[in-house]
Amino acid sequence: MTKIALFGTSADPPTAGHQSIIHWLSNNFDYVGIWAADNPYKDHKTSLDHRLAMLKLLIDDVDSPGDNIYLSKSLSHRRSLISVGKAKEIWGENSDYFFVIGSDIVKQIRQWYRIDELLAQVSLLIVPRPGYTINESDLKALEDIGGKCQIADLNAPAVSSTAYRKDGNENVLIQPVQDYIHQEKTIRMNSNSNKLTLEDFKSRG
């Protein structure tokens, strides 16, 4: 059966950590579906189009073993259940779907929209993140509501979009994404302009 990894991420901005995850998924799955997610638990100041553009730069820089990474705005939705439905329109009902989350999401995901329906359609692939322990009790709670959980054999770099926005350390970004931010000088929108300075981006908490 065809194995599909589904990876929705805020990508605000996408970091070298995201890239390492995508590279690993590309090596371990037949296809990888990726989208910029409008997470209802977050206040996104960056437009979806800009986050998609940066994700494309990130993916173009991945040394993939095959042409198996699919980035599409059509997969983007505030509800992951809808994104999974859109993925099934691409790869069909008979594929084996793995929904990728970070270990920081393990507790939160039980509160997601129609989570029982989501878990009935996918297995959860949990990517360990530094500072977020995967507890057996949390895995058991997911299993109790129908979750099928696997933990990725992956040690992603200890970098995050949030940390970048707080301290502006560009070392967590690959060069093409750095260049995009500097060139476009946009990450969030205001009522006067589509573009703001890089400092506006860095100051987001």
Side-chain angles (χ1 to χ4, degrees):
M1 185 176 289
T2 303
K3 293 173 59 178
I4 314 292
L6 301 177
F7 184 32
T9 173
S10 297
D12 197 10
T15 67
H18 292 100
Q19 188 178 58
S20 69
I21 294 170
I22 292 169
H23 181 265
W24 186 89
L25 293 172
S26 177
N27 278 273
N28 286 275
F29 289 85
D30 296 306
Y31 296 99
V32 184
I34 301 174
W35 64 94
D38 276 337
N39 189 335
Y41 290 87
K42 296 182 179 180
D43 178 23
H44 297 294
K45 302 299 184 182
T46 311
S47 74
L48 184 65
D49 286 340
H50 284 304
R51 286 183 281 130
L52 277 167
M54 289 187 287
L55 269 175
K56 184 179 187 306
L57 292 171
L58 194 83
I59 291 168
D60 287 346
D61 193 61
V62 171
D63 183 14
S64 173
D67 186 19
N68 67 343
I69 303 175
Y70 181 90
L71 172 69
S72 176
K73 188 175 182 178
S74 69
L75 294 173
S76 297
H77 198 277
R78 288 178 64 82
R79 304 300 188 184
S80 296
L81 181 64
I82 306 302
S83 294
V84 170
K86 292 176 181 292
K88 289 189 173 185
E89 292 176 3
I90 299 170
W91 289 290
E93 293 284 345
N94 294 325
S95 296
D96 199 3
Y97 291 92
F98 293 78
F99 191 82
V100 183
I101 63 171
S103 55
D104 55 315
I105 304 297
V106 171
K107 292 181 182 291
Q108 179 197 102
I109 195 173
R110 298 199 301 271
Q111 311 303 319
W112 283 16
Y113 173 76
R114 291 161 62 178
I115 185 59
D116 54 335
E117 294 182 41
L118 177 65
L119 295 178
Q121 298 185 51
V122 299
S123 298
L124 293 180
L125 181 65
I126 303 170
V127 176
R129 290 193 61 185
Y132 296 94
T133 302
I134 303 172
N135 297 316
E136 289 296 329
S137 59
D138 292 324
L139 296 180
K140 178 63 167 56
L142 281 170
E143 292 171 359
D144 288 344
I145 59 173
K148 303 176 289 293
C149 303
Q150 297 184 24
I151 299 175
D153 183 19
L154 166 67
N155 293 316
V159 297
S160 71
S161 304
T162 301
Y164 170 75
R165 293 194 302 270
K166 287 182 176 179
D167 61 30
N169 180 7
E170 292 192 333
N171 290 330
V172 307
L173 307 179
I174 66 168
Q175 190 62 50
V177 172
Q178 291 184 38
D179 294 342
Y180 181 91
I181 292 172
H182 283 291
Q183 178 180 346
E184 298 299 325
K185 296 187 182 302
T186 156
I187 285 301
R188 67 180 177 85
M189 316 285 279
N190 68 5
S191 59
N192 298 321
S193 174
N194 288 344
K195 298 184 178 181
L196 291 178
T197 67
L198 186 61
E199 292 305 313
D200 288 320
F201 176 55
K202 292 179 179 178
S203 66
R204 281 195 62 207

